Amino acid sequence: MRTGNYYDSERAASEYLLLHYGEPSPSPWPLTFPARCVAECVDAKRLPDAARALDLGCAVGGASFELARHCGEVIGIDASRQFIEIAQRLRERGEYGFQCCVEGELRRSHRVFVSPGMDRRRVTFETGDAMRLRGDLGTFDVVMMANLIDRVPDPRAMLGQLAALVNRGGQLIITSPYTWLREYTPRAKWLGGFERGGKPVRTFDVLKSILSPDFRLVKGRNIPFLIREHARKFQLGIAEASVWVRRSDVIDKR
């Protein structure tokens, strides 16, 4: 899952809290990326009563709380202890105060809130490694992996765990801008973003080849996101979102 000092820094906490829960001043596009991922990708009508959801690489928990609108139990897992501590405090109190950058060394206080009326008791958070998930997690009706596959050391191995996690007919949501970097993923483990035999290898094509035996692709879309660095600087990314349904016509590998 996410590794490195950035995800345990004050800067990362501020940037991800604003990405997940809202920005303190006007910006060209809305933040709250996780809420849009859930709203645009999860088919709530297909979910059974008391559905279970797994938010893998949950960061500070924005998507986990949004999944709780539709699911009776949500587990959020992230490798960053700082992110999980923040998410747990949001679960307990419904709000979190922090300092965000204005410019240079100037900071201002800001507070973010979990949406009113949300049953936060449905959500639990824990630190964990997406490459080595604990064996007693059980199975889920929704598994979300938002901007995670290009931040693990072996994405193919991580994806190989999914058929055992998603119930038949369950939904798998994967989003990523496909920012392959050697500091997170060894070059030999990239799913795409390179040439082989003189032909470009695209991440989404490899995703399809890995997932198609167990999952059926039902829709895809582009979801923009902004990471606010300070009051006048934002990183614009466009995540490709793909929604998959666990096949019912294959032999269960569990």
Side-chain angles (χ1 to χ4, degrees):
M1 203 177 299
R2 300 182 175 98
T3 58
N5 292 332
Y6 165 72
Y7 292 106
D8 285 311
S9 67
E10 180 182 349
R11 172 189 166 190
S14 172
E15 291 178 352
Y16 272 76
L17 280 161
L18 296 172
L19 177 67
H20 281 228
Y21 299 100
E23 203 266 317
S25 58
S27 61
W29 294 275
L31 297 188
T32 62
F33 172 69
R36 286 180 287 122
C37 288
V38 173
E40 296 184 29
C41 296
V42 174
D43 186 351
K45 295 179 181 178
R46 293 179 59 95
L47 294 176
D49 295 337
R52 299 185 78 224
L54 174 64
D55 184 9
L56 196 54
C58 67
V60 292
S64 301
F65 291 120
E66 292 298 325
L67 286 166
R69 295 184 187 275
H70 312 295
C71 301
E73 180 187 1
V74 181
I75 299 175
I77 299 178
D78 201 278
S80 168
R81 292 188 179 277
Q82 173 183 238
F83 281 177
I84 291 299
E85 288 173 1
I86 291 170
Q88 287 173 335
R89 197 168 304 176
L90 279 159
R91 179 187 183 273
E92 294 165 3
R93 303 177 183 177
E95 61 182 71
Y96 187 84
F98 62 102
Q99 298 286 313
C100 59
C101 182
V102 177
E103 64 180 70
E105 297 178 352
L106 298 178
R107 299 290 185 270
R108 62 165 290 186
S109 296
H110 186 56
R111 188 168 295 274
V112 295
F113 301 86
V114 179
S115 297
M118 187 79 69
D119 187 354
R120 304 193 304 273
R121 295 170 298 179
R122 296 183 180 186
V123 185
T124 58
F125 295 102
E126 60 185 75
T127 55
D129 185 343
M131 302 297 305
R132 290 178 289 274
L133 295 170
R134 58 181 174 89
D136 59 350
L137 275 174
T139 59
F140 300 89
D141 303 293
V142 180
V143 172
M144 173 165 283
M145 295 167 38
N147 295 6
L148 177 64
I149 61 170
D150 56 4
R151 289 297 180 269
V152 295
D154 192 343
R156 185 179 291 269
M158 181 183 67
L159 293 167
Q161 305 173 93
L162 296 174
L165 287 172
V166 183
N167 291 325
R168 293 182 183 277
Q171 300 171 53
L172 168 65
I173 295 114
I174 297 175
T175 77
S176 178
Y178 310 143
T179 308
W180 298 106
L181 296 170
R182 288 179 171 84
E183 64 189 278
Y184 297 106
T185 310
R187 170 64 175 72
K189 299 291 186 179
W190 292 6
L191 297 185
F194 55 87
E195 288 191 354
R196 180 183 291 143
K199 296 183 179 180
V201 177
R202 303 291 187 185
T203 302
F204 184 68
D205 294 331
V206 177
L207 267 181
K208 286 192 291 186
S209 70
I210 294 171
L211 295 175
S212 290
D214 297 293
F215 294 90
R216 174 172 55 88
L217 178 66
V218 294
K219 65 179 175 180
R221 63 185 60 228
N222 292 316
I223 305 180
F225 63 93
L226 279 181
I227 296 178
R228 178 193 184 278
E229 292 189 21
H230 59 73
R232 296 183 180 275
K233 184 181 178 185
F234 298 79
Q235 297 178 36
L236 171 63
I238 301 176
E240 183 171 43
S242 55
V243 182
W244 310 77
V245 170
R246 172 81 154 87
R247 295 183 183 275
S248 299
D249 57 348
V250 295
I251 298 174
D252 205 320
K253 300 177 182 178
R254 296 168 199 155

